[in-house]
Amino acid sequence: GQNIDQPTEMTATEGAIVQINCTYQTSGFNGLFWYQQHAGEAPTFLSYNVLDGLEEKGRFSSFLSRSKGYSYLLLKELQMKDSASYLCAVPMFSGGYNKLIFGAGTRLAVHP
Amino acid sequence: DSGVTQTPKHLITATGQRVTLRCSPRSGDLSVYWYQQSLDQGLQFLIQYYNGEERAKGNILERFSAQQFPDLHSELNLSSLELGDSALYFCASSPDPGLAGGYNEQFFGPGTRLTVL
């Protein structure tokens, strides 16, 4: 089965760097997604990692270690608008198709 | 704007009632997914359709059902509603059903907020 763990809440200061960790256990691996979700809004895609290493996209970077079942999302130069939940998700193979299984999310609060 | 539309935006109803939530996927997307998100909870996968056929099922209650029509829009039917069904219901679409080994980024609609009183 799938098991995804993320910290429930984190706080950080505007302008700082924060790392949000995600550990997963899965039978088979088809990549890992990070989504951002502001309160009451739809999740929006941030990144997809399928190979080990760091992928950088502007202020956001995502890292994956398949051997350790571990990923993190790195947010630099934090802005107030980055206050949101960050969801880690892995596809689960079922019946020939992948469906996304989401972690409970990490609620990030950015303070001035 | 993801291109996925959901109606209605808000729905308030009473226990025991039945409601229908509607979703139109992005143009060209054949796969539709439904999720439930209760207050302070993660996204719970309910069900997936691809080109009119059910492809995967998650923790969907027997009181809930869904279908995808020939024009690819989808409806989620919730019946015998209980207080605990109050949640945000999201629909998402993707270009393909996420074949094994594939990349299936999902695009989410704005959600329907259901309140059961």
Side-chain angles (χ1 to χ4, degrees), chain B:
Chain B
D1 184 354
S2 67
V4 178
T5 60
Q6 289 187 248
T7 57
K9 194 170 175 62
H10 301 278
L11 195 50
I12 301 175
T13 188
T15 54
Q17 296 298 305
R18 172 190 169 94
V19 297
T20 298
L21 313 183
R22 184 188 168 103
C23 167
S24 292
R26 292 187 326 154
S27 178
D29 284 359
L30 298 178
S31 205
V32 168
Y33 312 77
W34 286 98
Y35 293 88
Q36 179 193 57
Q37 188 174 42
S38 303
L39 192 63
D40 292 333
Q41 298 290 311
L43 281 165
Q44 299 296 318
F45 170 73
L46 295 178
I47 198 164
Q48 175 195 357
Y49 279 82
Y50 172 68
N51 205 20
E53 292 187 9
E54 181 184 305
R55 277 290 176 236
K57 247 181 176 177
N59 300 323
I60 187 166
L61 300 172
E62 284 192 13
R63 300 184 286 109
F64 295 2
S65 65
Q67 57 186 131
Q68 187 179 27
F69 295 86
D71 66 354
L72 301 178
H73 90 272
S74 178
E75 293 181 356
L76 179 67
N77 300 297
L78 315 176
S79 61
S80 303
L81 284 168
E82 302 175 359
L83 296 178
D85 297 327
S86 295
L88 263 172
Y89 290 84
F90 287 105
C91 167
S93 73
S94 69
D96 59 59
L99 297 173
Y103 163 101
N104 61 340
E105 175 187 346
Q106 295 180 17
F107 298 85
F108 284 79
T112 293
R113 182 174 293 282
L114 173 66
T115 303
V116 182
L117 301 175

Side-chain angles (χ1 to χ4, degrees), chain A residues 30 33 35 37 40-43 45 48 87 91 93-94 96-104 107, chain B residues 35 37 40 42-43 45 48 55-57 90 97-106 108-109 113:
Chain A
N30 279 305
F33 292 83
Y35 279 80
Q37 186 181 25
E41 298 183 10
F45 171 80
Y48 172 70
L87 312 176
F93 181 59
S94 172
Y97 296 90
N98 283 325
K99 58 182 181 182
L100 270 184
I101 303 300
F102 284 83
R107 191 161 50 240
Chain B
Y35 293 88
Q37 188 174 42
D40 292 333
L43 281 165
F45 170 73
Q48 175 195 357
R55 277 290 176 236
K57 247 181 176 177
F90 287 105
L99 297 173
Y103 163 101
N104 61 340
E105 175 187 346
Q106 295 180 17
F108 284 79
R113 182 174 293 282

